[in-house]
Amino acid sequence: MSGHEVPRALMVDGFRARRSFGVGGLSKGATMAGVAVLVADGIIATQAPLTLLVTLPATGAVLALAAARRHGMSALSYYWAKFSHRRAARYEGTAYRRLLLPHPYRLDLPGVGASSTLIKAHDPTTGRPVGVVHDRATGRMTVTTLLAPGGSLMAPTGTVQASLRTWSAVLDAMSTDEQILGASVTIQITPGAGEALGDDVKARKDPRSPQLARQIIDELVKTTPHATASVAPWMSVTVDPSASANPPADLAEQVAETLKVVDSLDLSGTGTDIERRATDIDLRRIVRAAYDPAVYNGRDHEFGDLQWGECGPVAADDGWEEYAHDGGVSLSWVLQEMPRRPIPYSVLLPLLAPGRFQRRITLAYRVLDPHEGEAVLEREISHARHREQATAEMKGRAKWSQRADSARAEKAAAQAASGDQVVDWTLMVTVTARSAAELPAARQELERATKAMRSIRLRPAYGAQAAVFAAGLPIGYNPLVEG
């Protein structure tokens, strides 16, 4: 799975997808809707019995699609999304073209980032500028922290366990703070040009070193010209400043309140180092380079003059399985199925390995407060037992998969009762190719990395490529945070 033996102490489990109780594989909502439609069919049939020849087959077909599964979702949801996407494409609702607007109008980012704006603030704790993304529609604010990549594969077991416990404490702090709505951790891996490695080695090579050593180094540079990569991790925290006991009166106070809340999260000891809070220039660089990777290594002044809306694409087309934008074409995949068995802490290593194409891996979190988490788990236990009982009454015994699901629900409740937090999370991956011709190679690279993880299954973000692409950027959009 990760190429090395992982001790049992470093395995992580407790994953389970929410499942409501319904009949015949239907969700609770689909079951209630089906019952209502069948009752309506019966009422209509009392006046016109022949209508049952049409209504019953149609209702049965819809319920069958709702019960069937396709790509980890109901077949009805999948085909309805496909129909809606084709309809939007017909009316050019999936195409974006930036317009030149006269002063004083400002440009906006496309799609889910349209309501965001960038604020350049001053952080009093560090004395440095910091970029704060403000959602004008909801009033929420997002602060991004740049992290320094670190490795733990060679670290002792005790060190890794301590890092996992510290991260659990961070999640615990997020669960008890009503102002923190969600967070996401993103790791962006950009393959470096071959010249970068050669230039670095040339500048550091000692002419007085042994000839054999110089020959070996030169041979390594020639045989691994594309093995270099730039790794840029960051963490974005979304805050509702108005949820405090004394809501801020103006925008400046809201920014100050947001920075105070984010500063309360201590990431030291989590296995990574904090580099600094992202400035407005950092955020412009990340967003602009995502849409046009060719400008990734540009100078700061090239991004300082950009408006927030200009960091987005000049033109973009949101396809069913791909997203074409300024400097390339991107593929975004999302979590399809939760792991059903314990997984090692290094399970994402295949995704984090450098490849030919730029890649972003995003873990989005929403930590439930203790009362909400307890209610969710009790409801899940009830639903699991009802499914067992219904199957046992119909077939004589419950399925083994249902029994295992009940056991996982009860284990999760026991862990929560012991102090663990209930977390909604999802995984999103975006890979960007420079042209449509390279798209098959990028898709193959992503598929191989996904299969190498084994325990975690991903699928393309059908009809939501632009939204998932934006979710990996520090623009204040978190799909787990309700709008």
Side-chain angles (χ1 to χ4, degrees), residues 280-440:
D280 57 312
I281 294 179
D282 293 328
L283 298 180
R284 290 189 181 99
R285 177 190 297 273
I286 292 174
V287 176
R288 184 63 199 135
Y291 288 103
D292 188 2
V295 304
Y296 179 79
N297 294 316
R299 299 183 181 275
D300 286 349
H301 69 83
E302 298 176 11
F303 300 97
D305 297 334
L306 291 178
Q307 295 184 16
W308 183 235
E310 292 176 326
C311 297
V314 175
D317 292 288
D318 188 8
W320 179 246
E321 293 190 44
E322 70 283 331
Y323 181 51
H325 44 86
D326 288 354
V329 185
S330 295
L331 301 170
S332 294
W333 287 32
V334 295
L335 182 67
Q336 175 176 336
E337 185 179 358
M338 294 283 188
R340 297 186 179 182
R341 58 183 178 182
I343 59 176
Y345 74 101
S346 56
V347 66
L348 297 181
L349 193 60
L351 283 178
L352 300 177
R356 288 179 53 194
F357 307 97
Q358 186 186 73
R359 191 184 305 166
R360 278 192 308 280
I361 301 94
T362 300
L363 276 166
Y365 299 92
R366 186 179 77 90
V367 187
L368 280 61
D369 66 72
H371 297 292
E372 182 184 0
E374 181 181 359
V376 168
L377 292 177
E378 290 296 332
R379 187 164 57 247
E380 290 299 307
I381 292 176
S382 178
H383 290 164
R385 289 179 176 174
H386 286 161
R387 282 191 296 271
E388 277 192 83
Q389 294 174 0
T391 303
E393 292 176 358
M394 294 177 61
K395 299 184 177 181
R397 67 174 180 85
K399 297 180 181 178
W400 285 108
S401 60
Q402 292 176 333
R403 294 179 181 179
D405 186 63
S406 296
R408 286 195 297 269
E410 293 176 358
K411 183 178 180 180
Q415 291 175 333
S418 301
D420 291 348
Q421 300 305 317
V422 182
V423 181
D424 281 343
W425 67 277
T426 190
L427 174 65
M428 298 167 286
V429 181
T430 297
V431 60
T432 299
R434 292 298 182 93
S435 64
E438 296 180 340
L439 200 59

Side-chain angles (χ1 to χ4, degrees), residues 6-12 152-153 155-169 269-271 345:
V6 178
R8 180 68 183 178
L10 298 183
M11 304 293 282
V12 184
S152 57
L153 293 180
T157 299
T159 302
V160 179
Q161 284 183 301
S163 299
L164 294 176
R165 286 194 297 268
T166 304
W167 179 246
S168 177
T270 58
Y345 74 101

Side-chain angles (χ1 to χ4, degrees), residues 165-358:
R165 286 194 297 268
T166 304
W167 179 246
S168 177
V170 173
L171 296 179
D172 181 65
M174 293 171 60
S175 70
T176 56
D177 194 328
E178 296 181 353
Q179 293 180 273
I180 299 179
L181 303 179
S184 63
V185 177
T186 299
I187 300 178
Q188 179 171 282
I189 303 163
T190 304
E195 295 80 3
L197 178 61
D199 293 344
D200 183 64
V201 171
K202 183 178 179 180
R204 300 171 63 182
K205 188 163 52 176
D206 189 349
R208 296 171 297 177
S209 60
Q211 183 179 2
L212 178 60
R214 295 199 302 269
Q215 290 177 350
I216 293 176
I217 292 296
D218 293 340
E219 186 66 23
L220 287 174
V221 171
K222 292 178 181 179
T223 56
T224 58
H226 297 287
T228 59
S230 171
V231 181
W234 62 81
M235 179 177 181
S236 298
V237 180
T238 301
V239 176
D240 183 5
S242 62
S244 62
N246 298 313
D250 55 21
L251 188 61
E253 293 184 3
Q254 293 175 9
V255 172
E257 181 70 19
T258 299
L259 293 176
K260 183 177 69 174
V261 171
V262 175
D263 286 339
S264 66
L265 293 178
D266 185 10
L267 298 180
S268 59
T270 58
T272 186
D273 296 326
I274 298 177
E275 185 174 332
R276 55 183 167 81
R277 299 283 184 232
T279 65
D280 57 312
I281 294 179
D282 293 328
L283 298 180
R284 290 189 181 99
R285 177 190 297 273
I286 292 174
V287 176
R288 184 63 199 135
Y291 288 103
D292 188 2
V295 304
Y296 179 79
N297 294 316
R299 299 183 181 275
D300 286 349
H301 69 83
E302 298 176 11
F303 300 97
D305 297 334
L306 291 178
Q307 295 184 16
W308 183 235
E310 292 176 326
C311 297
V314 175
D317 292 288
D318 188 8
W320 179 246
E321 293 190 44
E322 70 283 331
Y323 181 51
H325 44 86
D326 288 354
V329 185
S330 295
L331 301 170
S332 294
W333 287 32
V334 295
L335 182 67
Q336 175 176 336
E337 185 179 358
M338 294 283 188
R340 297 186 179 182
R341 58 183 178 182
I343 59 176
Y345 74 101
S346 56
V347 66
L348 297 181
L349 193 60
L351 283 178
L352 300 177
R356 288 179 53 194
F357 307 97
Q358 186 186 73

